[in-house]
Every structure is written in C-alpha cells, then in structure tokens.
Amino acid sequence: MSYSRTRTHQISKKRRFRKLLFVNVTLLALIVVAGGLLAAQWSASGGVDGAPGGRSEAPPASAPAAGNADEPSGSGNANGTPTDPGNAGDASNGTPTGSDSDAPGTPDEPAGGPADTQDQVTLAFVGDILTASTVGSYMDKNGVDYPFEYAAASLQAADITAGNLETPITNREDPAENKTYVFRGKPEYLTGIKNAGFDVLSLANNHTLDHGWEGLSDTMDYLDDAELQHMGSGVDAEEAFTPVIIESHGIRVAYIGVTHVVPDGSWKAGENHPGLADTYNTKPAVAAIQSAKELADIIVVMVHWGNEREQQPEQAQFDVGHTFVDAGADLVIGSHPHVLQGFEYYNGKWIAYSLGNFIFTTNGNSVTQQTGVLKAACTKDGACGMNFEPMFAHNFQPSPMKPEEGALLLAELSDKSYGAKVDEKGDLIPVSAGGGKETP
C-alpha cells in the first residue's frame, strides 16, 4: 500500500510551522534578554544624568534578524474500455459489503490566498468531468484546453470553482475486474483543468479506483503537483473524510466529497484501509460536516448518488441530502446520473440533485449533453444566492446555450425542482409552502 503524498504534505506543514514557531520564540527571547541587559547598563550608569559632564549614552544594541522558515508528463492513450462507452455506468446503488469508515479528522490549515474585506464569496460548480476515452483523444489532437474553450470564462469568474473528476490520472494500467467501463487519464490533462479555472475536485465516485489504490494514489499526487485541491479519498477514512478548506474574501469554505455509488465494498476507506469516503452509512459524513462547522463559515458537500439517466431523484437522494443539511451543510451538490435533475430549497439551504455531465463521452443522447454551471454568491453566515447558466456540450465542449434553448431548459429544471423555481434568468428562487413542488 503506497503512502499518500497529501498526508505527507500535511505532516510537513506541521513540522515547518513548529520550526518557524521555535525560531520566532527564540528570537523574541534574545530580544527580551538584550533589552534587559541594556536597561541594567543604563540603570547602573545613572540614567541620562548619571555620567559626569553630560548625558551617558549606552552603546546601541543590535537584535538578530529573523529568517524565513524553511507539469508531469504521461505516456499511453487515456482510453476507457470500451473506447466510447457513452453514459452507461457500472455500479448499482445497493449497499456493498465492506467495513464502515471511521469519524473524520480535521485539516491543518486552509488553502487559498489572503482574506480581504469583501462580504461574499462566489462559488461555481459543474458535474462529471471525464478526461479519458474519446475525450482524451480529442485533447491529444486539439490540446488540453480544448474541452473548456467556451466555458472557461464562466468558470474563471468565480472565486472558487469545483467539479467531480470521474477518472483516475495515472500511467499505470491495472484495470479493475468485473467493471464494464474502466477509465484512465493522462497527467498532462490536469493542465487543461487547471487552466480552465478549477480549484477543487471531488474524487469520491465510482471510477477513481478503476486502476486500484495505486492509480488513485497517483491521481492524488498528480493533483497535488498541479496545485488542484481534492477531497473524498485517502489512505484511510480519516483522510478521505477530511475537508478541503479554501479561504477567499475572508470567508472560509469547506468542501467534503462523498459517494453513494461504490462498485465494491473494498473501495470504501476504513480505519486502516485506503479508498473513498462513502455515505451508505451517513454517520461519518455527518461527523465530517459537524467538524467542519468549527473550522469554516460555509460547508459544501459534493455527493455522487442517484440512478443513471433518471431525471428525477430517487428517495435515497432526498433522505441523504436532507440529512446533510440538517447536520449543517449549506450547499449539497450532486453528480452521477449523467443528466440534469432539479434543485431543492430545504430548511433555508440549497440542494442540486444532479448537475449532469460537464465533460464526458456521449452516446448521442442529447439529454446527457445538457449541462451548465451552477453559481452561488454566499455570505459568511452561509446564505447563498443561486444561478444556473445552461450549456450544451457539443463534441465534448460545453458552451452557453442560445437564449431560446436556454429558456426551455431552465423551465424544465423549474418544473423538476422542489420548494423552488428557476426563472428565465437562471436564478433559483425559494417558493413559499404550498407554492411549489414538494419533496415526495
């Protein structure tokens, strides 16, 4: 079992912090001692009037100066098996066998730049991102930025942008057995994702272990190298459930990744077992949310769930989503069905049941090509204004829809939403009790 460089980075940060703290304390002590000696010398000479014939001047003391604490390439084609699988998946939503994961740990410190005085942070979310199979072939031919050419401006406009990475990034080839579709992407494809404006990616889904734990560990390491934050996987349950915390405009946003789609129980992270953060048992995820509430202002849970190509959520999605909000989540963002599902305004918070495909192979079903960018403008108290920008992915390139087509899609999403509607501008609007579709 290989180590996770993510955990190693966390340990290194702790060590650097302790070293820096020791150096600063030592310097402070030296300054205090030097100041005491200077004061004693001054006092012994009688102060300003002590020396005969005029002012007695002590020689200047010099304090020591404080010092500072101390794109990969890949080979082989990123092909799935078969080459162009379309949007069919390989995992049911039945509870697999395997050990339950433990309660989560907490991160060392938030990632991101310095805070400022603005009073809100803007977040962007997309659904499934597959940089493999036919998509990978197009990236090889047209460049790693190709899939994001028409969507990058929207993604980059947000302070923090997140998505679900639906493929391992590795040069290893150790395909999982008994899986219909097995994917593998090249490390250089992450440059395109980074350039597009993404900051954080969830790895909790039914494909990131397509080439085993070694392949997933490679993925985490390559993401670290690309300076892309990630969550939802780890060397054990503690790491898998640990949130990424990013600070922007003085607001700390925690991202937690979990999956309700696990092809095999061995994929689940346990106390001494690497894998994914799963939510068949919601207690570990609830504990992660509650722990994150002590560290961050806004809690985002990205969850892989539901039935493929079903445009209505299943009951388990409602149950799990409500549980997360009740535990303290401010936003719950879903993926996996490969089609768009509606939104829900529940207890003052927003749930997006499925953002569908964003970058993915297609079998010609245009519904699976309907996609978009969900945008949130959130204040420090977790209140979020929401907007959905409709897009259509042609040749694996999401681009804004024409106004009339976008209006039709927004109206369909409004009809599919619960306790909310979507207006012609894409704004998500809460609907008072009895005025909108209720959760079944």
Side-chain angles (χ1 to χ4, degrees), residues 4 84 91 160 181 227 292 317 380 392 415:
S4 164
D84 193 0
I160 309 172
Y181 303 112
E227 297 184 344
Q317 291 173 260
K380 198 166 188 175
F392 187 85
D415 290 341

Side-chain angles (χ1 to χ4, degrees), residues 94-133:
T95 304
T97 59
S99 60
D100 289 331
S101 52
D102 291 341
T106 56
D108 297 322
E109 57 188 1
D116 60 27
T117 57
Q118 295 191 27
D119 60 357
Q120 70 175 21
V121 61
T122 56
L123 313 176
F125 302 94
V126 302
D128 293 335
I129 301 170
L130 174 71
T131 53
S133 190

Side-chain angles (χ1 to χ4, degrees), residues 137-216:
S137 298
Y138 270 66
M139 295 176 79
D140 291 338
K141 179 180 179 180
N142 301 293
V144 295
D145 296 321
Y146 168 83
F148 311 100
E149 181 177 352
Y150 303 111
S154 182
L155 301 173
Q156 294 165 0
D159 296 315
I160 309 172
T161 298
N164 173 64
L165 181 61
E166 189 98 3
T167 184
I169 303 297
T170 181
N171 291 318
R172 303 175 195 269
E173 191 162 1
D174 183 21
E177 297 179 357
N178 302 319
K179 283 197 84 206
T180 305
Y181 303 112
V182 177
F183 299 122
R184 180 169 59 93
K186 294 180 181 180
E188 56 262 36
Y189 295 162
L190 294 180
T191 302
I193 294 175
K194 179 72 173 181
N195 291 345
F198 286 94
D199 301 287
V200 58
L201 298 168
S202 177
L203 300 180
N205 58 64
N206 58 307
H207 281 294
T208 48
L209 275 162
D210 277 0
H211 288 270
W213 165 245
E214 299 289 343
L216 177 53

Side-chain angles (χ1 to χ4, degrees), residues 9 13 29 34 76 135 167 178 259 295 357 362-363 374 379 390 411-412:
H9 286 175
K13 284 193 293 183
V135 180
T167 184
N178 302 319
T259 181
L295 303 168
N357 291 331
T362 178
N363 57 7
L374 180 64
T379 55
E412 291 176 7

Side-chain angles (χ1 to χ4, degrees), residues 257-300:
V258 294
T259 181
H260 199 263
V261 186
V262 180
D264 185 273
S266 65
W267 285 37
K268 299 197 301 182
E271 183 176 358
N272 298 298
H273 182 71
L276 307 176
D278 79 280
T279 188
Y280 290 100
N281 175 1
T282 59
K283 289 182 179 180
V286 165
I289 293 167
Q290 293 171 341
S291 177
K293 291 292 285 185
E294 300 177 3
L295 303 168
D297 305 301
I298 298 169
I299 311 300
V300 177

